[in-house]
Amino acid sequence: MAETATRDDPQDRLGTMAHGDKAALARALARLERAPEAADTLALLDAAYQASKGQVVGVTGPPGVGKSTLMGALIRSLRAKGRTVGVIAVDPSSKRSGGALLGDRVRLLSDPDDRGIFVRSMAARDRLGGLAELTVAGMVLMRAVYDVVLIETVGVGQSETDVAGVADTVLFCVQPGSGDSLQFMKAGIVEIPDVAAITKADTGAPAERALSDLKGALSLNEEEDDTWQARCLKLSAETGEGLDDLIAALDAHRAWLGQHDRLAAHRARQAEQWLIEALRDRHGREGLKRLGKVTLDAGTSPFSRLSELAARL
């Protein structure tokens, strides 16, 4: 009996995953999809929410910009620095099965025997924000296990701004010669990146022009006191140019968030917004209206709170 209790303890389960048991994490994610409101699922998510250790980086940008290639190079660079990496790759959905259309091993080449890297594909299904429905729960679980959690979005235009609701740091990718920086300036997407990168820097002059355009677009954002100024850089996943600069920029943003409780406040806002949206998805605007003002106390897990409020309805 004691052995069973230990095996089922959420903290022990998280510890097992953090020590590289990828099968345990895969089982937990499968259980999360199959029974998101089960008592054991909620207990694990609540424990993971309190035990978060990793930086969550949302990687966004238009289709064809080279996000998956960059992700592969970034994973290798982070692993070379001794950091463990969890990846959520949000794919378009298969119209037939509703599942992820592209497989994680096809898109992101990594060593299957490396216990410090875990890649999971999730289907976007009918969500337009570039994210899968279970991305938040999966992210909370992974950030309690890995040093860095990378979330690659589908890449569907203006609705990509949803990634800001789950990531600590948003990496926005633009390719040279695409005119994307101007298009995204019109769409408002340039308001969300913390780090902006021109991919395919080995193209030379076009990459330099794109970097200049991107800096100009981002400079139009209104700056206030105590705000982070987005870092702009160029890189090449093929040659490795700029990857160390990218990691340094991501680290700098994480350090900035760590000052003055910014990270805790940022995540609390995200969790409360996720809670409100989850209630609206399940019970509609009328359900939200019946609950009155929905709040989430600092440090409180949104998952148990969702179950509690849903039970009231």
Side-chain angles (χ1 to χ4, degrees), residues 52-270:
S52 62
K53 71 172 186 177
Q55 178 186 17
V56 182
V57 179
V59 183
T60 187
V65 75
K67 295 190 295 294
S68 293
T69 304
L70 171 58
M71 291 271 285
L74 184 56
I75 289 167
R76 290 189 291 273
S77 293
L78 289 168
R79 291 298 293 132
K81 295 178 184 297
R83 303 188 199 181
T84 56
V85 185
V87 180
I88 297 175
V90 183
D91 288 321
S93 302
S94 165
K95 292 184 178 180
R96 177 182 302 176
S97 68
L101 191 60
L102 304 176
D104 49 11
R105 296 302 175 195
V106 174
R107 290 148 50 88
L108 299 170
L109 299 177
S110 60
D111 182 358
D113 296 323
D114 184 352
R115 293 163 66 89
I117 168 70
F118 182 92
V119 180
R120 176 61 183 265
S121 291
M122 292 186 178
R125 299 203 170 105
D126 58 352
R127 295 183 66 86
L128 297 179
L131 300 178
E133 183 177 0
L134 294 174
T135 300
V136 171
M139 172 273 292
V140 167
L141 186 55
M142 284 193 188
R143 78 180 181 191
V145 174
Y146 295 103
D147 298 324
V148 181
V149 178
L150 301 174
I151 301 177
E152 181 193 358
T153 65
V154 174
V156 288
Q158 186 171 357
S159 55
E160 286 280 74
T161 54
D162 277 11
V163 74
V166 300
D168 302 326
T169 303
V170 176
L171 168 60
F172 173 60
C173 301
V174 176
Q175 64 179 330
S178 63
D180 286 336
S181 58
L182 296 179
Q183 291 300 317
F184 292 142
M185 178 177 66
K186 296 175 183 176
I189 296 175
V190 291
E191 296 174 3
I192 69 166
D194 302 298
V195 180
I198 300 298
T199 59
K200 306 172 186 176
D202 47 312
T203 58
E208 289 292 344
R209 287 194 297 272
L211 181 63
S212 178
D213 288 344
L214 188 59
K215 287 180 177 179
L218 289 172
S219 70
L220 297 178
N221 292 340
E222 293 184 7
E223 293 185 13
E224 301 175 0
D225 293 338
D226 196 39
T227 58
W228 169 263
Q229 185 171 358
R231 304 278 180 94
C232 295
L233 50 88
K234 57 187 177 73
L235 53 83
S236 170
E238 297 292 337
T239 67
E241 176 190 349
L243 284 174
D244 285 342
D245 291 339
L246 172 60
I247 293 174
L250 298 176
D251 288 347
H253 187 249
R254 175 59 187 257
W256 180 81
L257 283 173
Q259 300 169 359
H260 310 298
D261 292 323
R262 292 188 186 104
L263 181 59
H266 178 71
R267 288 180 172 176
R269 287 192 299 270
Q270 288 179 326

